[in-house]
Amino acid sequence: MLNFPAPYPDELVYGILSRARVRFCVTSPKRLLSGVIGSRSAISSVNFPSRLNDFTSINSLNLPSPIDLIYGHTLFPLYSPFLPENRRLECLNHMQFKSFGSVHLASGYVASLIPKLHVMRACRDCIEEQLNTVGEPYWRRIHQIVGINHCCIHGTPLVNIQPYHSMQHRHEYFPLQTQQIETFSPQILISNPKWLDEQVCWLLYRGEQQSLSFEQWTNLYRYLLVKNGFAKGCFCNYPLLKEAVESAWSEEWLRSMNLFPNETESNWLHKITRKHRKSFSYLEHLVALYAIQKDIKLSEVMDRGRSLVKSNIKTVKLTTFSKTKMRENQKIWLNQVKQFGAKVARENGYGGTYLWLYRHNRDWLLKINNKYKRPIPVVNNRVDWKRRDMEIVRALIRIIDKHFDDVSGPRLSIKWLVSQLDTGTSVEKYLYKLPLASIYLARYSESITDYQIRRITQVMIMTRPNILPRWQILRLSGLSDERMTQMTCEFLDSLLANFWALRGL
């Protein structure tokens, strides 16, 4: 596409598209997406945009390659070093093509402890510099990082400017405007070590590199804990490490980031010092590493992690056993697993048999368990779904009553109605358990035809008593012959025919 804006240093892909919207004077977000990405259904994302292959191929004159765009203009570099290599490559593939939101799941963003940022932020001093250098403001990556409420360059508090809600504005790209920043007050600063700013900046600008495996992260933390005196034999001295975390970071900040350590075994600080079976967020790693060694640098940590070889597996000398005992245990276990399944048999007094076979004939045991595997029904009684169903229907009635007479309001689709609920994500996921809510949504949600007719009705109300030509009605209502449904066309033609018949009388 000609005259497409070239990305500025550290600018988000979201910011590039928002500036393109201003440059091409496009008011419809779907028209913008159709022109620059080639799809009207792409979802705007601050963290992990997708379809970057189509985006760069259509605008190849001014944009770098998809990989350079990911590592230079998204927040993926904050997450990539802490993912296994196969998962990192999977996320890169998701971001280059149509992903259906998979990258948010694969990167660990959805399941992360740290809170999600629902507002776009900016720095007053950075905006002034941008106006002096490039002549327009733009959204920077360094200002949209959870855990840092100040500008890493100037040290000034960031200002919350534009609310970002992926459910209400799924296709919108809002540009940064200078007049917006004057109407908002800056955030309250919570003092943290400058070390955090330095390491976050290093993560953002390090470029594409191979990530460490779970085993390398496990060995790395064991090495650091032993080196800095936080080990107790072969294990972590958790009380000492917990005390170090609480003294290195402010309690207010840790609680705001959901990272304040407690004594439960499932706490993130317990898990990060044990064998790694899942990824941890950048803040969890940075909080733990700074508490272990205050002068540590992530670049040195990564280099050290790559140099660690696989831990030696100790060989265990097995005791001898007779073939008769093997056959007896196999016969006992086979009878039980056929009748009850592996888990129930193990819990019903045959755990010793399972353990003996696991030590002496593991391959046979796993093969038999898999062959006679039985699903265990899980009954979840934590939620009274009948009661919740009634509460959600009452909430939906209030929402529809509020917007029922608003002719100029948004389309009352099922997606929009659910997004207005406090538990919208939960309702959308478990709608099959909410029969009354499902029936209510199917009955009272607004179809595309209903919405198009309402837009035409709004234009007719605004322009009465004048009767506008058909093309002008379509323009004011934001419709076209290609996008209108057949029923909408029949409604408009019938409406105009009746008006002209009355005018003729």
Side-chain angles (χ1 to χ4, degrees), residues 403-428:
H403 297 88
F404 186 76
D405 296 326
D406 185 9
V407 183
S408 61
R411 179 189 165 203
L412 306 183
S413 63
I414 294 178
K415 192 87 174 175
W416 186 87
L417 289 171
V418 169
S419 71
Q420 302 305 302
L421 298 169
D422 294 335
T423 56
T425 307
S426 159
V427 172
E428 190 174 4

Side-chain angles (χ1 to χ4, degrees), residues 176-338:
L176 176 57
Q177 299 175 0
T178 53
Q179 60 269 27
Q180 287 178 308
I181 201 165
E182 303 299 333
T183 60
F184 295 93
S185 57
Q187 293 184 317
I188 299 174
L189 278 181
I190 301 176
S191 60
N192 275 323
K194 192 169 179 57
W195 178 88
L196 180 64
D197 301 352
E198 297 171 354
Q199 304 312 309
V200 166
C201 290
W202 181 82
L203 283 173
L204 280 180
Y205 304 123
R206 66 192 286 266
E208 185 183 13
Q209 295 182 21
Q210 186 175 357
S211 57
L212 303 183
S213 65
F214 285 154
E215 186 175 15
Q216 287 174 318
W217 278 114
T218 303
N219 294 335
L220 178 61
Y221 271 98
R222 286 176 181 170
Y223 165 77
L224 292 173
L225 291 171
V226 172
K227 177 185 175 183
N228 294 279
F230 289 97
K232 186 169 58 175
C234 298
F235 303 97
C236 169
N237 189 342
Y238 182 75
L240 186 62
L241 179 60
K242 179 175 177 288
E243 182 182 347
V245 169
E246 293 174 357
S247 62
W249 305 91
S250 68
E251 180 179 347
E252 181 184 1
W253 183 81
L254 287 173
R255 291 192 182 278
S256 67
M257 295 295 111
N258 301 324
L259 296 179
F260 190 77
N262 54 41
E263 300 297 335
T264 60
E265 289 294 318
S266 59
N267 184 256
W268 71 271
L269 191 58
H270 264 303
K271 292 181 178 179
I272 204 170
T273 56
R274 294 171 176 170
K275 181 178 180 179
H276 284 221
R277 293 180 173 86
K278 70 180 188 68
S279 301
F280 295 88
S281 66
Y282 64 96
L283 275 186
E284 290 169 309
H285 279 285
L286 294 175
V287 167
L289 290 172
Y290 185 72
I292 294 172
Q293 184 178 334
K294 288 186 170 53
D295 60 344
I296 200 168
K297 293 183 179 179
L298 267 180
S299 56
E300 299 173 357
V301 168
M302 296 292 182
D303 293 339
R304 181 68 189 180
R306 292 189 184 92
S307 66
L308 293 175
V309 295
K310 293 184 177 180
S311 56
N312 295 325
I313 301 174
K314 296 180 180 179
T315 57
V316 180
K317 186 178 180 180
L318 299 177
T319 57
T320 58
F321 57 89
S322 64
K323 293 183 179 180
T324 305
K325 187 175 182 179
M326 171 66 75
R327 285 195 296 269
E328 290 176 356
N329 285 329
Q330 286 180 337
K331 185 177 180 180
I332 293 170
W333 182 253
L334 185 58
N335 292 333
Q336 294 299 318
V337 81
K338 280 183 179 180

Side-chain angles (χ1 to χ4, degrees), residues 353-370:
T353 306
Y354 174 89
L355 185 60
W356 193 93
L357 289 170
Y358 187 85
R359 289 177 175 174
H360 297 92
N361 198 350
R362 185 185 306 176
D363 294 338
W364 179 88
L365 177 67
L366 296 179
K367 181 180 178 180
I368 291 298
N369 289 349
N370 189 53

